[in-house]
């Protein structure tokens, strides 16, 4: 009954907004999903191999409302997502754009959620943006500048990266992995709770007529008393209930070049900060410094209705003592997870390093796919044949070494990587209206496979069916 009532509100409330605001565009998209996964994990104990099988099924539905309008002195963009959970409830999240901005003195003064523009011509990137007060220059063909005055950072959660988690993460993980990841009996309420933290920053995105693209972004995040990594005792917090003033700064510089049907880009990221944890015999400081860098590269060719690209991502690792104790964290990321595979993003919680999410500064020290420093190399292709859409994607992920002493410096030699890896891939076939970007019907088939010691093989089948209609009479 509650679900039906919420659906009714989601259908009626947008119509009221549209009637009052006279939006230039207002649409509702309703989708249903059919998801099935099966897998096995081979555990080797005392020279004997034990096979643990697991799987799950989910049938959620998803309602997305989108409206936007732009006038001389203001503009608004509203996206809302409502997704059903495995507990017969609805979870509502803002979409990538959900803000209102007034135009004054040559700037837009806005409040809400606004995504970072993807000024580089890339296919492989992750989403991030401001959630709070921002000031932005008026849209220009050459450049855009945005100042995030007050960003209530929550990890930039999106329905695209949460819908499967809300179905009940325990259902899709083997029992051994649930224990290692600490996901035993976690309910969707606990998984969806986030804490607001303060972030500020400035970003510059531009492009030239010569085909050169570039961006520069600097951000500062007050972590407060965040951290699943490191036991934060009263001693580490200095008996303060307001947190121990952990912080993280992020700098990103990107440069790309686009020429007719070819593009290439590189993006460098640097993270600096401090995570104050309890003291440790191997680390005399009462804090854990964060000093990491990462490099993202991509190149591709494209034409009318098709694109093929190669991408890579390499972060530096943690600095460790002789016995493997972490002395200094390497690269720490912010925003949503970069790969689109729902198994890695949502079930296994994988990210290429430590990550700042809505729950805090997270890092896992397990032998299964999770938040661990790792390098990525992959390829992706998309093709359009009239109303048909075909997408093929594959990635190879190799974890950085986490045993023994290490300087934390970048290394592309085999010594810098462990023998643990994952392979993942998917193929998607969809049908969409000729003018539409989102397929009305889509079938995805994909999976992951890990190294022999980890012993994971898992596949999934995802069927999407949706329809979109306008709320504004033409």
């Amino acid at each position: 009954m509650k679900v039906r009532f919420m659906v009714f509100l989601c259908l009626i409330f947008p119509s009221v907004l549209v009637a009052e605001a006279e939006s230039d565009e207002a649409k509702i998209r309703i989708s249903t999903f059919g998801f099935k996964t099966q897998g096995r994990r081979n555990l080797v104990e005392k020279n004997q191999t034990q096979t643990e099988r697991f799987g799950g099924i989910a049938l959620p539905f998803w309602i997305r409302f989108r409206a936007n309008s732009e006038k001389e002195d203001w503009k608004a963009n509203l996206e809302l997502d409502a997704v059903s959970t495995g507990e017969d409830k609805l979870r509502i999240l803002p979409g990538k754009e959900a803000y209102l901005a007034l135009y004054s003195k040559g700037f837009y003064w806005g409040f809400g959620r606004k995504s970072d523009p993807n000024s580089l011509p890339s296919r492989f990137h992750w989403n991030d943006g401001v959630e709070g007060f921002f000031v932005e220059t008026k849209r220009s063909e050459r450049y855009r500048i945005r100042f995030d005055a007050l960003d209530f950072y929550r990890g930039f959660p999106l329905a695209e990266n949460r819908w499967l988690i809300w179905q009940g993460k325990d259902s899709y993980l083997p029992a051994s992995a649930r224990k290692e990841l600490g996901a035993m009996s976690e309910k969707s309420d606990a998984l969806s709770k986030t804490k607001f933290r303060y972030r500020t920053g400035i970003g510059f995105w531009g492009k030239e007529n010569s085909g050169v693209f570039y961006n520069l972004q600097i951000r500062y995040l007050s972590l407060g008393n965040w951290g699943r990594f490191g036991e934060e005792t009263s001693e580490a917090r200095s008996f303060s209930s307001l947190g121990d003033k952990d912080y993280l700064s992020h700098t990103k510089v990107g440069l790309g070049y686009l020429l007719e049907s070819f593009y290439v880009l590189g993006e460098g990221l640097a993270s600096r900060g401090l995570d104050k944890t309890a003291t440790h015999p191997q680390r005399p400081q009462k804090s854990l410094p964060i000093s990491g860098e990462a490099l993202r590269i991509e190149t591709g060719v494209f034409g009318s209705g098709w694109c093929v690209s190669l991408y890579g991502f390499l972060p530096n690792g943690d600095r460790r003592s002789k016995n493997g104790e972490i002395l200094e964290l390497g690269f720490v990321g912010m925003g949503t997870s970069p790969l689109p595979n729902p198994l890695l993003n949502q079930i296994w919680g994988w990210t290429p390093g430590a990550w700042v999410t809505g729950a805090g500064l997270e890092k896992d020290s397990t032998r299964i796919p999770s938040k661990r420093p790792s390098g990525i190399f992959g390829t992706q292709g998309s093709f359009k044949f009239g109303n048909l859409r075909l997408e093929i994607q594959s990635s190879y992920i190799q974890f950085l070494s986490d045993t023994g002493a290490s300087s934390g410096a970048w290394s592309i030699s085999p010594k810098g990587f462990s023998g643990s890896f994952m392979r993942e891939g998917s193929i998607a076939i969809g049908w969409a209206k000729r003018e539409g970007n989102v397929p009305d019907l889509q079938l995805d088939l994909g999976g992951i496979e890990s190294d022999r010691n980890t012993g994971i093989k898992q596949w999934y089948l995802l069927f999407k069916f949706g329809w979109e209609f306008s709320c504004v009479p033409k």
Side-chain angles (χ1 to χ4, degrees):
M1 187 64 185
K2 291 182 180 179
V3 171
R4 293 178 181 176
F5 180 70
M6 289 301 297
V7 172
F8 176 78
L9 288 181
C10 290
L11 293 175
I12 296 300
F13 186 64
S15 301
V16 176
L17 289 178
V18 171
E20 293 180 351
E22 298 181 356
S23 297
D24 297 332
E25 181 188 41
K27 295 182 178 180
I28 292 178
R29 181 175 182 83
I30 300 177
S31 305
T32 59
F33 289 68
F35 179 86
K36 178 178 175 59
T37 181
Q38 281 188 324
R40 70 174 188 266
R41 187 183 185 197
N42 294 326
L43 303 175
V44 180
E45 295 182 359
K46 298 179 180 179
N47 296 326
Q48 292 184 348
T49 301
Q50 297 180 353
T51 300
E52 183 182 6
R53 299 186 182 276
F54 56 94
I57 298 175
L59 298 170
F61 67 88
W62 186 340
I63 301 176
R64 167 166 288 176
F65 168 68
R66 183 178 71 253
N68 61 73
S69 180
E70 185 169 357
K71 308 300 180 183
E72 291 185 0
D73 54 353
W74 64 274
K75 67 176 179 179
N77 202 330
L78 178 61
E79 293 183 8
L80 290 176
D81 293 301
V83 184
S84 66
T85 73
E87 301 167 354
D88 196 26
K89 297 180 181 179
L90 277 181
R91 292 293 173 196
I92 300 178
L93 276 178
K96 295 179 181 179
E97 310 288 345
Y99 65 88
L100 172 65
L102 303 178
Y103 186 68
S104 176
K105 300 185 183 300
F107 295 93
Y108 279 111
W109 305 77
F111 176 77
R113 167 180 281 191
K114 198 169 195 312
S115 294
D116 295 342
N118 186 31
S119 62
L120 300 175
S122 61
R123 306 279 295 178
F124 169 63
H125 64 281
W126 55 83
N127 294 298
D128 200 357
V130 59
E131 296 179 284
F133 293 98
F134 63 90
V135 182
E136 186 180 55
T137 57
K138 196 169 185 178
R139 183 182 297 274
S140 167
E141 293 183 359
R142 286 192 57 193
Y143 69 90
R144 185 185 307 184
I145 302 174
R146 192 187 75 215
F147 171 61
D148 303 336
L150 182 62
D151 184 0
F152 303 103
Y153 181 75
R154 300 185 301 153
F156 211 74
L158 295 171
E160 290 91 329
N161 296 95
R162 306 294 297 178
W163 68 269
L164 188 51
I165 293 178
W166 287 335
Q167 310 310 308
K169 188 174 181 179
D170 282 2
S171 303
Y172 310 102
L173 285 171
S176 56
R178 294 178 216 163
K179 186 176 181 180
E180 288 186 72
L181 289 175
M184 291 292 288
S185 303
E186 272 190 308
K187 297 187 180 296
S188 62
D189 287 339
L191 289 167
S192 61
K193 285 182 179 178
T194 58
K195 297 180 180 179
F196 288 97
R197 287 296 184 268
Y198 173 76
R199 186 170 68 163
T200 185
I202 187 169
F204 176 78
W205 301 269
K207 62 180 180 179
E208 302 293 339
N209 293 331
S210 61
V212 176
F213 292 74
Y214 47 90
N215 63 37
L216 171 64
Q217 196 169 21
I218 302 173
R219 277 173 165 153
Y220 173 88
L221 173 62
S222 174
L223 289 171
N225 189 29
W226 272 8
R228 191 173 73 179
F229 176 72
E231 182 181 3
E232 303 205 14
T233 64
S234 59
E235 178 186 5
R237 296 192 299 266
S238 300
F239 299 98
S240 171
S241 60
L242 299 178
D244 50 13
K245 299 182 180 179
D246 298 342
Y247 71 90
L248 180 68
S249 65
H250 243 225
T251 302
K252 180 170 66 173
V253 180
L255 180 65
Y257 183 67
L258 175 65
L259 176 63
E260 294 181 352
S261 60
F262 167 78
Y263 73 90
V264 61
L265 68 91
E267 198 167 47
L269 303 97
S271 58
R272 298 289 185 272
L274 202 64
D275 179 22
K276 296 185 179 180
T277 63
T279 58
H280 192 281
Q282 300 294 331
R283 189 183 67 248
Q285 304 92 340
K286 289 187 178 181
S287 59
L288 192 63
I290 301 171
S291 178
E293 295 82 30
L295 178 65
R296 183 172 73 94
I297 57 175
E298 183 173 342
T299 183
V301 292
F302 61 92
S304 177
W306 65 273
C307 179
V308 177
S309 62
L310 301 173
Y311 56 82
F313 181 80
L314 180 65
N316 65 339
D318 306 325
R319 188 168 71 87
R320 296 173 178 267
S321 64
K322 292 182 179 180
N323 64 352
E325 165 67 20
I326 296 178
L327 303 177
E328 187 172 318
L329 277 178
F331 177 74
V332 176
M334 289 192 288
T336 60
S337 184
L339 289 184
N341 190 317
L343 289 181
L344 291 174
N345 274 351
Q346 302 181 58
I347 297 178
W348 293 97
W350 177 82
T351 54
W355 218 255
V356 181
T357 69
L361 176 58
E362 296 186 88
K363 180 180 175 63
D364 290 327
S365 298
T366 68
R367 304 304 304 171
I368 57 178
S370 57
K371 300 171 181 68
R372 297 167 55 190
S374 47
I376 311 169
F377 175 79
T379 181
Q380 184 172 7
S382 61
F383 309 89
K384 294 181 181 179
F385 307 96
N387 291 346
L388 290 177
R389 307 288 191 269
L390 175 64
E391 292 188 4
I392 302 173
Q393 182 263 335
S394 178
S395 297
Y396 179 82
I397 300 166
Q398 188 162 12
F399 296 102
L400 274 61
S401 179
D402 55 4
T403 58
S406 63
S407 64
W410 257 327
S411 174
I412 58 175
S413 68
K415 295 181 180 179
F417 292 90
S418 68
S420 183
F421 66 86
M422 287 189 297
R423 291 187 289 256
E424 66 94 14
S426 64
I427 179 171
I429 302 174
W431 181 89
K433 295 180 181 178
R434 190 175 299 274
E435 68 276 9
N437 293 322
V438 181
D440 298 297
L441 289 170
Q442 183 169 319
L443 181 66
D444 291 24
L445 179 63
I448 64 173
E449 181 181 19
S450 70
D451 58 278
R452 185 176 180 183
N453 291 332
T454 307
I456 295 173
K457 288 187 178 181
Q458 187 175 4
W459 64 269
Y460 70 91
L461 182 67
L462 176 60
F463 175 74
K464 303 177 185 178
F465 171 61
W467 62 96
E468 184 175 276
F469 54 92
S470 176
C471 300
V472 180
K474 296 184 179 180

